[in-house]
Structure formats: structure tokens, C-alpha cells
Amino acid sequence: MKNKIVLSTTLSLLLALGIQTSTVHADTTSTTSTSVVPGSLKINSVPSMTFNSTVDDIANSTSTTAKLQSNGSISTTDDEGYGTATKWILAATPTELSYTGGNGKTSNLKVSTLTIAGTPITTIDGKTSTPIVNGTNEGNASTDLTADNTSITLPQDKQVFGEVYTGAITWTLSGDTGTIGGTAQ
């Protein structure tokens, strides 16, 4: 009872002096954000490919197939930021193989089929592109090239020289990235 009288007296005194009591609330909001910068679709590395054959095999056989001499890999990265809505294709466009002799004359070596990572390429003209790897999702991808999945088949050529014939492969990576809002992984 004594506590009630003290509290009642205190409240009466505060009201008499004109001091008001109130409840104070401090509610406010702020935002937080993270800017995620998209990356790119890129080829990180492609290997040089070496195949060995003999004049005897090429000149005296209907066709000869030579396997890849040393393993390699094709490495790509997709970090554009489209989640699982992304699809990309790595294509190869090989040129003919040729050798230039000491007299300046160029000799071509016909190729029936160049197989890269299990995908056969039959048009070797430096213009025709063939898809080698199809990818989905973001991240790094690596495609192994081995003697089991990469080879060259040469038709018979009775005029072949015992030289190193070279060509080039143009690699093109293109993507259908879909729309922002794909499913993130």
C-alpha cells in the first residue's frame, strides 16, 4: 500500500508541475544492396593438335587415320550472370592442311575427317563451322581431347611429301544467354 501512495504522489506531482510523460518510438528503415557485375563468355584455352602418319600409309592405303599425339583440353568460362537460362556453343572452323616447299610452291594435304572430342568435321575449308561443345549453366567447362576422341583421317594421296603439313582452327564461342532472371545455381 505504501508503494501505491508513493507512486500516486509522484504522478500527481509530475502532473501538477506540467511535466508530461510519453512513450517514444524510433522506427525507420534503410536498404542494403549488392551490385553484381556480369562477366563474359570466353574461351580460356584451346590446344594445338598434332597427328603423325607416314608417306607409306597415305600413299598406299585407301585412307589412314592418325590419333592425337598428346592430350589437351578446351577450357571455357561462362560468367555472364544468367543462371541456368544460358546456353552456349563452341564451334571449330578448320582450314586445309598445307606445306610450302623450298621453291615456294604450296602443297595441300586433303583431310577426309577431323574428329575433335568425338565430333567429326568433314568440311575442312576454313569457312564451315562445326559445333564441338554445347554448354549450359554458368561456370568453367573443360573438354578433354585424347587419342580416343580426337583423330584425323586422310584419303590416299600418291603425291604426298614427307613434310609437316599445317593448318589453323578458328574457335568461336557463342551464347544464347536467355534473359536475366534465369534460375541461379
Side-chain angles (χ1 to χ4, degrees):
M1 173 94 161
K2 208 178 202 189
N3 285 343
K4 284 185 183 179
I5 294 173
V6 172
L7 180 59
S8 182
T9 306
T10 305
L11 285 175
S12 297
L13 183 61
L14 289 173
L15 288 174
L17 294 173
I19 300 174
Q20 297 180 350
T21 61
S22 64
T23 304
V24 177
H25 292 283
D27 287 339
T28 187
T29 59
S30 67
T31 61
T32 183
S33 64
T34 300
S35 177
V36 178
V37 179
S40 60
L41 184 61
K42 63 186 173 190
I43 301 170
N44 299 321
S45 65
V46 291
S48 293
M49 291 180 268
T50 302
F51 307 93
N52 291 331
S53 191
T54 65
V55 170
D56 181 49
D57 286 343
I58 296 169
N60 297 314
S61 300
T62 309
S63 72
T64 185
T65 299
K67 294 185 176 207
L68 183 67
Q69 289 299 299
S70 23
N71 295 345
S73 67
I74 301 167
S75 173
T76 57
T77 298
D78 175 5
D79 60 2
E80 292 184 295
Y82 292 100
T84 58
T86 187
K87 295 179 182 97
W88 51 266
I89 296 170
L90 178 66
T93 308
T95 64
E96 294 180 327
L97 300 177
S98 63
Y99 151 74
T100 303
N103 60 0
K105 183 180 175 190
T106 300
S107 297
N108 291 330
L109 181 62
K110 293 203 179 285
V111 176
S112 299
T113 306
L114 172 62
T115 301
I116 301 174
T119 302
I121 302 172
T122 56
T123 304
I124 318 284
D125 60 4
K127 300 174 193 169
T128 305
S129 177
T130 302
I132 301 298
V133 180
N134 294 305
T136 58
N137 301 331
E138 295 177 336
N140 297 322
S142 181
T143 302
D144 293 329
L145 304 183
T146 67
D148 293 330
N149 69 9
T150 303
S151 63
I152 193 166
T153 302
L154 308 167
Q156 185 177 40
D157 183 349
K158 294 199 178 275
Q159 300 298 315
V160 67
F161 293 99
E163 295 292 339
V164 176
Y165 290 80
T166 59
I169 299 174
T170 300
W171 297 92
T172 306
L173 183 59
S174 59
D176 173 13
T177 54
T179 58
I180 290 188
T183 307
Q185 286 195 342

